[in-house]
Amino acid sequence: MSTKVAVVTGSNKGIGLAIVRALCKQFQGVVYLTARDVARGQEAVASLASEGLKSTFHQLDINDLNSITVAAAYFKDKYGGVDVLVNNAGIAFKTADETPFAVQAEVTLKTNFFATRDMLTHFLPLIKPGGRVVNVSSFVGSRTLNQCSPALQQRFRSEDITEDELVGLMQQFVDKTKKGEHKAGGWPETAYGVSKTGLTTLSMILARRLSKERPNDGILLNACCPGWVRTDMAGQKAPKSPDEGAVTPVYLALLPPGATEPHGKFVSDKEVQQW
């Protein structure tokens, strides 16, 4: 039996760290905690060790394509692939942040959509049969979808939207914010929301592709909302602890062997949500 391996992006703190903690307790295999910053990542591994939990660190900055390809080559060479991938890394500007909206749009989509897509482009081919892929999205994405123009909503919900078309739409949003034309173009005033609408839609596109190209491999890929969680990103007023926020991502990461669903869905509180 080859060693099973789980990889969680952006996992030195917050929900990512809580996902690693839960996987250390429940996943039968090696759990990789990854972070941009080596010192912070190793510190997080040490903090889990003090709880009696064993995780392994690998540097991974999803905004750095070289970092992604180095990590992908490492997991391919060492383990022949990956069994569980949780794309958790993400950013959000605070509501009171005075950074111009166009800058917020570019920076937010760069990480939450484009960089996460780079991760999926390089790691999906490494997902072993029976593997699980979880993209940590947000209910803000579905709320944002409902604020888009009817034409945009139709495309985001369509079964025939392609990855290229989706990438074009995400880029269109960024470009239109620079000219102040995004509202006229049918887009709402939320960069974070649009980035997560894009990520959930991407998850659905890639799930359909997996079903078509690897029909016998039993890989399940989903997007989920962890809920409103007390983190640096969401603030201290949120009702859920990071460990509570990890419940749904971990549930999807550990869907039992032979399960056929959910796949290509948006899941919150372990329930498939309307998209």
Side-chain angles (χ1 to χ4, degrees):
M1 280 294 287
S2 61
T3 306
K4 287 193 173 266
V5 60
V7 178
V8 185
T9 69
S11 52
N12 60 293
K13 63 178 183 177
I15 297 168
L17 181 59
I19 292 169
V20 171
R21 178 184 291 113
L23 288 175
C24 286
K25 294 173 182 173
Q26 300 173 54
F27 178 69
Q28 303 296 311
V30 185
V31 183
Y32 273 83
L33 182 155
T34 72
R36 283 181 302 192
D37 184 287
V38 174
R40 285 180 187 160
Q42 288 171 339
E43 223 169 83
V45 167
S47 77
L48 289 172
S50 72
E51 298 173 34
L53 300 172
K54 181 170 170 38
S55 59
T56 306
F57 175 71
H58 197 285
Q59 193 277 342
L60 178 56
D61 177 359
I62 70 165
N63 278 313
D64 176 358
L65 197 51
N66 184 56
S67 176
I68 292 176
T69 55
V70 166
Y74 169 83
F75 288 110
K76 185 168 193 249
D77 295 345
K78 189 167 173 70
Y79 301 100
V82 170
D83 298 277
V84 171
L85 172 63
V86 182
N87 284 306
N88 166 75
I91 61 162
F93 284 85
K94 299 277 188 265
T95 316
D97 196 304
E98 290 177 1
T99 305
F101 186 66
V103 177
Q104 291 195 26
E106 184 157 36
V107 171
T108 304
L109 267 77
K110 181 179 188 296
T111 296
N112 295 1
F113 179 78
F114 291 105
T116 304
R117 175 180 173 246
D118 287 339
M119 270 298 296
L120 288 157
T121 299
H122 288 86
F123 273 77
L124 267 192
L126 303 183
I127 302 297
K128 296 180 189 175
R132 305 288 180 249
V133 180
V134 184
N135 295 327
V136 178
S137 189
S138 171
F139 65 87
V140 179
S142 40
R143 205 166 62 199
T144 299
L145 174 63
N146 292 324
Q147 295 168 351
C148 289
S149 68
L152 284 172
Q153 288 188 44
Q154 192 274 324
R155 289 321 295 150
F156 287 130
R157 291 194 172 107
S158 130
E159 294 267 316
D160 64 6
I161 185 172
T162 63
E163 187 175 352
D164 285 346
E165 182 186 353
L166 176 63
V167 166
L169 286 169
M170 293 291 107
Q171 191 56 54
Q172 179 199 99
F173 170 71
V174 173
D175 293 345
K176 283 190 182 298
T177 61
K178 291 177 180 171
K179 300 175 189 162
E181 294 172 357
H182 54 287
K183 286 183 177 169
W187 297 97
E189 185 84 5
T190 162
Y192 181 77
V194 169
S195 75
K196 294 301 192 179
T197 301
L199 180 57
T200 301
T201 306
L202 179 63
S203 304
M204 294 172 177
I205 292 168
L206 295 177
R208 288 194 283 269
R209 186 184 302 163
L210 279 169
S211 299
K212 193 174 155 200
E213 294 177 1
R214 299 177 64 179
N216 304 317
D217 281 359
I219 297 168
L220 299 179
L221 183 155
N222 292 285
C224 70
C225 175
W228 190 19
V229 178
R230 289 188 294 279
T231 60
D232 290 352
M233 194 157 101
Q236 293 309 304
K237 292 179 183 164
K240 283 186 175 183
S241 70
D243 288 331
E244 289 167 328
V247 168
T248 295
V250 170
Y251 155 73
L252 292 171
L254 299 177
L255 286 167
T260 54
E261 54 191 57
H263 178 55
K265 300 289 190 252
F266 177 62
V267 180
S268 179
D269 292 321
K270 301 206 279 194
E271 298 283 335
V272 172
Q273 305 296 314
Q274 189 70 38
W275 179 247

